[in-house]
Amino acid sequence: MIRRPPRSTLSSSSAASDVYKRQYQRRVRGQSAVTMVAQVLYCAPSPAHQPGDTLSTVTTEAVHMETMNDNPGQLDIQLQGCRALRDLSIQPQNRPRMVANMAHEVIVASLGLHLFRKRIQIEGCAALDHLAQHPENVGAMCAKHAHTALINAMNEHRACEEIQFHCCEGLSLLAEDANNRTLIREAGGCGAIVQGMKHHYASERVAQHGCWALRQLARDPDARAVIGDDDGTTVIAEAMKHQVASLGVSVAGSRAFNQICLLATNQPRAVESTGHQSVAAALTEHADSVELNHHGCRALVSIGGHVPALMDRVAREGGCDAIVASASAHLEKPEVQRHSFWGLVNLGGELAKEFDHKAPCEAMRVHLWNQAVSRHGCWILRYYFSVGEYLELVADEGGPEAIVEAIKAHPDKTDVQHHGCWAIGNHAVGRKANRQLFEQLGAVGAVLSAMDTFPLAELQDQGCWALAALALEPANQPVLMQQKAHTAILAAMRDHKYGAAGVHTHGCWGLGNLGLDGLSTQQAILEAKGHLRALAAMQIYPADAGVQQYGCWALASLAGSPELIEPVSYTHLRAHETPEHLVCRLLLEKKKKKSENPETHMNSNDKVNARGDKSY
């Protein structure tokens, strides 16, 4: 007969109660501590729970923390606990609660007890890195020495890229707080970051977050000297060189230099470590980045430090070329041009805090030797500052002088000549006082030399534009004729008959303006077949309004002497007249009638003045 215990009993010491207790204890003791942690980590159903039950996130966190506190020497428990807390910290919503529940203190304790266990260090440092990404956590974390745990891990496991990455990122986040920056510096954080970067130049994420961490720490004035003494400038320069293709590293490195070089003693260190060349290479590689343009220009200025010898070296060893390359990629963005010319001007030693009319002129004077600065300066002056009140402001700052000097300084550079001629034309058209000023500066000879050297249609177009604009000033017309400006214009129109409507538009306008000088000038242009060239242009480009308009203007201007124009231009026009050219004949007939009736004769100077006040 089978003996059974009583069905129920209220006595805790009864035999039945002991039987059930032993059965429960055997079920629990049958699981190892590691198995229990794993079940909590993955929210797996415990044998003591129904299959559908799972532990909440809060319970999971609390169980891990308690298990880690109760078993500090158990490596498996500590590893699984750190890993579980790291996984929980990935979710942003968990981070403030975990720090409030002192999860960071448990992790720091585990990292301290198992400093030589790489896997525990990886999981724990990653967890602290994630927790520090919540701004409100950084103060409480450093109060429990989270920064010390990260620094110790970096020093002990320099060969581990993952540890270096999480520690660099974690320290950069903790350094957002000013008090933490002091704690990190005093604990040796600057040196740890520098050494970690030295071991992992090939790692983009270590390079990026290492540079950013040094930048954050350098916001503390006392840390700048420590970083410089620890060879921080060399490490940043090397990281940028090895990761030149990474925009993140380039921006972080440039911002680090900008902060570190606020200390004067770090400026020559940065130059000697070729930090300026690293920044210049980054600007050139990422010319399309507005953010890097801003920080890269400032970094170069900080490295130069307004010390003439340093600034000259920074400018000549790639600094100017890099700034202009970056600026040239954003011609339509004034903020980029402002940063660029701010950098160029500051490298020259003269401060221009804003992108105004002073910056391009000053930069072009200081860096006259640099082709890129001259080209870009002419471009900026002809594009941004050739209208309205800027014309007079630029003239007062020496803009016309800077343009002409740039053309003369780079006679073999097509782009400088092209934009220089264009700028002369714009500034001469927009401001009457500039026309004679340009002639006195030798602009006529500079433009003619450019047109003679470079037969390209684009340059011939802007050369004709500049000569026509200068010819708006009556006093300039004899000078232009003496230097054979009409010959250069006619040669450009002859050499670029087709596919260059701009050459013919500006050429006809220039011939018309020169014709106002008088009969001798008209005779010279007619003898050079200028009227035939204007008619040919009108025949080749019948649908181009500009060519038709200024072709008529040239013929009208050259018709100032009836005995000169009647046997040549009028007859030729009638012999080759087309429907599109009917207006030309009517214009000439009207001109002839008016010349016979002095009372109704049109003042041709009125026409050119009206044209001169309008920028083409």
Side-chain angles (χ1 to χ4, degrees):
M1 178 174 134
I2 299 175
R3 300 185 62 180
R4 298 174 179 167
R7 290 176 180 166
S8 63
T9 175
L10 299 177
S11 174
S12 61
S13 61
S14 66
S17 178
D18 291 341
V19 168
Y20 294 125
K21 283 181 181 178
R22 285 192 296 272
Q23 289 176 346
Y24 178 77
Q25 290 171 357
R26 282 195 300 270
R27 289 211 310 266
V28 174
R29 289 173 184 170
Q31 306 175 68
S32 67
V34 177
T35 303
M36 292 178 65
V37 173
Q39 288 171 346
V40 174
L41 170 63
Y42 298 107
C43 297
S46 168
H49 296 80
Q50 296 297 322
D53 295 339
T54 59
L55 296 174
S56 68
T57 301
V58 178
T59 304
T60 303
E61 176 188 323
V63 169
H64 279 299
M65 292 169 58
E66 183 176 358
T67 305
M68 292 174 70
N69 282 330
D70 292 344
N71 301 276
Q74 295 294 323
L75 296 180
D76 290 341
I77 290 177
Q78 296 298 315
L79 176 59
Q80 296 293 343
C82 286
R83 182 174 295 164
L85 294 177
R86 182 202 66 179
D87 290 345
L88 290 171
S89 67
I90 292 175
Q91 300 299 323
Q93 66 272 18
N94 293 340
R95 294 165 187 166
R97 187 198 66 250
M98 292 178 68
V99 171
N101 292 336
M102 306 304 289
H104 59 292
E105 184 176 14
V106 175
I107 297 170
V108 168
S110 180
L111 293 176
L113 286 172
H114 304 284
L115 180 60
F116 305 107
R117 301 292 179 177
K118 185 168 72 172
R119 290 309 309 171
I120 292 178
Q121 296 295 313
I122 290 174
E123 303 296 346
C125 291
L128 292 179
D129 178 14
H130 295 157
L131 293 175
Q133 292 177 24
H134 193 281
E136 297 179 3
N137 289 348
V138 296
M141 291 178 67
C142 276
K144 295 300 180 180
H145 307 289
H147 62 289
T148 304
L150 294 174
I151 293 169
N152 291 338
M154 294 184 75
N155 289 332
E156 187 60 39
H157 300 278
R158 286 177 180 163
C160 180
E161 187 269 349
E162 192 169 2
I163 289 178
Q164 299 300 319
F165 157 64
H166 286 299
C167 290
C168 285
E169 185 176 36
L171 290 174
S172 70
L173 294 167
L174 294 174
E176 288 285 352
D177 183 84
N179 295 328
N180 291 350
R181 291 196 281 270
T182 302
L183 296 174
I184 295 171
R185 171 176 55 81
E186 292 175 347
C190 299
I193 295 169
V194 168
Q195 292 301 319
M197 293 175 64
K198 280 185 177 180
H199 283 75
H200 299 283
Y201 287 135
S203 171
E204 178 181 353
R205 59 181 187 171
V206 172
Q208 178 177 347
H209 292 287
C211 288
W212 185 246
L214 291 177
R215 183 265 176 188
Q216 293 289 76
L217 292 173
R219 294 167 67 185
D220 175 14
D222 294 331
R224 295 167 191 159
V226 176
I227 294 172
D229 293 339
D230 288 340
D231 207 20
T233 56
T234 301
V235 167
I236 296 171
E238 289 299 317
M240 293 181 70
K241 288 178 184 176
H242 282 78
Q243 299 293 334
V244 67
S246 170
L247 177 60
V249 175
S250 297
V251 171
S254 297
R255 299 191 70 175
F257 272 126
N258 192 32
Q259 283 290 335
I260 293 169
C261 290
L262 291 177
L263 182 66
T265 56
N266 285 339
Q267 293 161 4
R269 288 171 173 169
V271 172
E272 291 305 319
S273 63
T274 65
H276 60 295
Q277 294 180 358
S278 297
V279 176
L283 277 170
T284 305
E285 178 71 19
H286 303 284
D288 58 340
S289 171
V290 175
E291 182 183 16
L292 183 58
N293 173 272
H294 175 69
H295 297 298
C297 291
R298 292 185 174 274
L300 291 174
V301 172
S302 294
I303 292 172
H306 305 300
V307 178
L310 295 180
M311 290 188 297
D312 185 68
R313 184 172 173 183
V314 171
R316 292 182 181 274
E317 293 182 357
C320 284
D321 291 336
I323 291 175
V324 174
S326 177
S328 299
H330 304 279
L331 295 177
E332 306 300 327
K333 296 180 180 177
E335 70 276 12
V336 175
Q337 305 305 318
R338 174 169 61 86
H339 297 150
S340 301
F341 272 102
W342 179 90
L344 291 172
V345 172
N346 276 270
L347 285 179
E350 297 292 337
L351 299 181
K353 296 300 182 183
E354 298 295 334
F355 174 56
D356 56 17
H357 57 282
K358 299 179 182 179
C361 304
E362 180 65 21
M364 291 171 70
R365 280 193 294 269
V366 173
H367 305 291
L368 182 61
W369 53 270
N370 187 284
Q371 170 201 349
V373 176
S374 294
R375 174 189 60 79
H376 199 65
C378 289
W379 192 98
I380 292 297
L381 289 178
R382 69 93 174 162
Y383 185 84
Y384 283 108
F385 296 125
S386 61
V387 293
E389 62 180 2
Y390 283 120
L391 285 164
E392 186 170 354
L393 294 173
V394 169
D396 292 340
E397 293 298 326
E401 291 87 343
I403 294 169
V404 175
E405 286 300 319
I407 294 177
K408 292 180 177 179
H410 303 281
D412 58 337
K413 304 299 181 184
T414 309
D415 51 358
V416 177
Q417 303 296 311
H418 177 226
H419 291 291
C421 290
W422 200 339
I424 288 174
N426 285 6
H427 283 259
V429 166
R431 184 172 183 261
K432 294 180 180 180
N434 284 344
R435 299 166 191 168
Q436 198 162 3
L437 174 60
F438 274 121
E439 188 277 319
Q440 295 169 355
L441 293 171
V444 175
V447 173
L448 291 174
S449 177
M451 294 177 69
D452 183 60
T453 305
F454 301 102
L456 300 175
E458 294 82 1
L459 193 143
Q460 298 295 316
D461 183 5
Q462 299 310 324
C464 291
W465 162 250
L467 294 175
L470 293 174
L472 291 172
E473 172 59 42
N476 289 348
Q477 294 164 3
V479 178
L480 287 162
M481 291 302 297
Q482 290 171 7
Q483 298 189 38
K484 305 296 183 183
H486 65 295
T487 303
I489 293 173
L490 292 173
M493 296 173 69
R494 180 187 66 245
D495 295 340
H496 299 281
K497 280 186 178 182
Y498 306 101
V503 173
H504 295 274
T505 298
H506 298 144
C508 289
W509 182 41
L511 293 176
N513 292 348
L514 289 172
L516 298 175
D517 187 41
L519 293 179
S520 60
T521 297
Q522 296 168 9
Q523 174 72 47
I525 296 175
L526 290 170
E527 289 177 353
K529 308 300 183 185
H531 57 302
L532 298 180
R533 191 63 58 194
L535 288 169
M538 297 175 71
Q539 290 175 333
I540 294 171
Y541 300 96
D544 190 290
V547 173
Q548 298 299 315
Q549 177 184 355
Y550 292 110
C552 292
W553 165 237
L555 294 174
S557 177
L558 297 176
S561 177
E563 63 271 15
L564 294 177
I565 194 68
E566 185 173 359
V568 180
S569 297
Y570 184 77
T571 304
H572 181 91
L573 181 62
R574 290 299 302 270
H576 300 280
E577 186 176 60
T578 63
E580 292 84 356
H581 300 151
L582 177 61
V583 64
C584 299
R585 180 167 63 83
L586 296 177
L587 178 62
L588 291 177
E589 291 176 349
K590 184 177 181 181
K591 179 74 175 181
K592 181 178 177 180
K593 291 179 181 179
K594 286 186 177 181
S595 64
E596 296 172 353
N597 188 358
E599 290 77 10
T600 60
H601 192 283
M602 182 182 68
N603 184 356
S604 58
N605 284 327
D606 293 340
K607 179 174 182 62
V608 71
N609 288 338
R611 176 61 187 87
D613 292 336
K614 180 181 178 182
S615 178
Y616 179 74

